[in-house]
Amino acid sequence: YDNLLKKIKEYNLEKDIVTDISVTPLVADKVSEKYQGMFLSGYRPMVIGKNIKDVKLDKVSGSSLTSIGFNEAIEQIKLEAKS
């Protein structure tokens, strides 16, 4: 279960549109490292240019469970964007 990718290091929004985002992986073991690497190699095009309200990822570059942690972090950003 690989939901450790929760730390979004930096992001920029312009009128609720994601213009930049970077993630810090939290690696627990070699399996997590593999899947987080797969996720990191493919998530940006699925997020950049999208409205933050519409960002919710499933499987990214063959990694499906890593998206869980990412989506949890995105939910926090959505809450911050509302305030």
Side-chain angles (χ1 to χ4, degrees):
Y1 183 42
D2 188 23
N3 71 345
L4 299 173
L5 191 64
K6 292 184 179 180
K7 188 169 183 187
I8 294 180
K9 183 169 70 172
E10 202 172 288
Y11 67 93
N12 291 320
L13 299 177
E14 289 182 22
K15 297 182 180 178
D16 292 334
I17 303 299
V18 180
T19 59
D20 193 24
I21 191 164
S22 63
V23 176
T24 301
L26 303 172
V27 178
D29 55 45
K30 289 289 184 190
V31 174
S32 294
E33 181 177 21
K34 174 186 172 186
Y35 285 105
Q36 288 181 30
M38 291 166 58
F39 179 88
L40 290 171
S41 73
Y43 81 98
R44 287 177 54 86
M46 302 173 91
V47 177
I48 302 293
K50 307 286 191 248
N51 189 305
I52 190 68
K53 294 179 228 165
D54 299 329
V55 174
K56 183 168 179 154
L57 303 181
D58 290 321
K59 194 172 194 177
V60 177
S61 301
S63 175
S64 57
L65 294 178
T66 305
S67 301
I68 295 169
F70 180 84
N71 289 333
E72 290 173 3
I74 287 292
E75 289 303 315
Q76 289 299 314
I77 292 172
K78 290 176 184 178
L79 292 174
E80 291 173 14
K82 285 182 182 179
S83 51

